[in-house]
Amino acid sequence: MKVEARLFDVTTGFFFLSAIVYGLWAGEAVGTVALILTGGLSLIVGSYFHFIARRLEQRPEDNPDAEISDGAGELGFFSPGSYWPVGLAAAAALAGFATAFWQVWLLVIAIVLILFTVGGLVFEYHTRPSSTD
C-alpha cells in the first residue's frame, strides 16, 4: 500500500501547487477552489492508504528489490460473482435519466426495476456443493 500512498501524495502535491499557480495567474476563484477541493480529496485517499499500509505486512509491490516470483501464489478470497449489481446499476441509471428529463412513466418503470433488482440481490440464493458430490 505504500506505493499507492506515494502515488496519491504526489497527486495531492500537484493539485495544491496547481491551485496556487492557477489562483495567482488566472485570478479566478471557482477554478482555484475546484483544484483545492480536488487536492483535498486526493489527500483523503492518500491518508487512507498510509493508514492501511501501517496495518498490513509488506507486499512484494512495496519492496524495491522484490522478484516477480515473490508475488506468486494465492491472491486472496474473492466472493462469488453476481449479476444483480449490474441490473441495479442499469435501473439506477434509467431512474437518473428519467429524472433528468422528467419522464414520469419512465421513472415509475425505473423504480419498479430498482425494487426488483434490490430484491433479487438481497434474496439471492447460492447453492453449495454437498459433501457427497
Side-chain angles (χ1 to χ4, degrees), residues 9 11-13 19 23 44 51 54 56 59 73 97 100-101 107 112 131:
D9 289 343
T11 57
T12 299
I44 290 171
F51 179 73
R54 288 184 297 180
L56 296 177
R59 302 178 308 163
F97 181 79
F101 292 105
L107 187 60
V112 168
S131 60

Side-chain angles (χ1 to χ4, degrees), residues 22-83:
Y22 184 83
L24 294 174
W25 192 9
E28 186 211 1
V30 175
T32 305
V33 170
L35 284 169
I36 290 171
L37 291 175
T38 304
L41 290 173
S42 178
L43 179 65
I44 290 171
V45 176
S47 300
Y48 172 74
F49 281 144
H50 277 292
F51 179 73
I52 294 299
R54 288 184 297 180
R55 294 176 175 241
L56 296 177
E57 61 186 50
Q58 187 175 14
R59 302 178 308 163
E61 293 89 357
D62 296 330
N63 184 4
D65 297 327
E67 297 290 329
I68 293 176
S69 61
D70 293 340
E74 187 175 332
L75 295 177
F77 173 76
F78 298 98
S79 62
S82 173
Y83 293 110

Side-chain angles (χ1 to χ4, degrees), residues 60-128:
E61 293 89 357
D62 296 330
N63 184 4
D65 297 327
E67 297 290 329
I68 293 176
S69 61
D70 293 340
E74 187 175 332
L75 295 177
F77 173 76
F78 298 98
S79 62
S82 173
Y83 293 110
W84 287 109
V86 176
L88 182 60
L94 185 65
F97 181 79
T99 304
F101 292 105
W102 197 243
Q103 299 293 320
V104 178
W105 64 274
L106 192 57
L107 187 60
V108 169
I109 293 172
I111 290 172
V112 168
L113 287 175
I114 287 173
L115 293 174
F116 177 72
T117 54
V118 166
L121 185 63
V122 170
F123 298 110
E124 185 173 26
Y125 178 74
H126 290 287
T127 59
R128 296 183 185 183

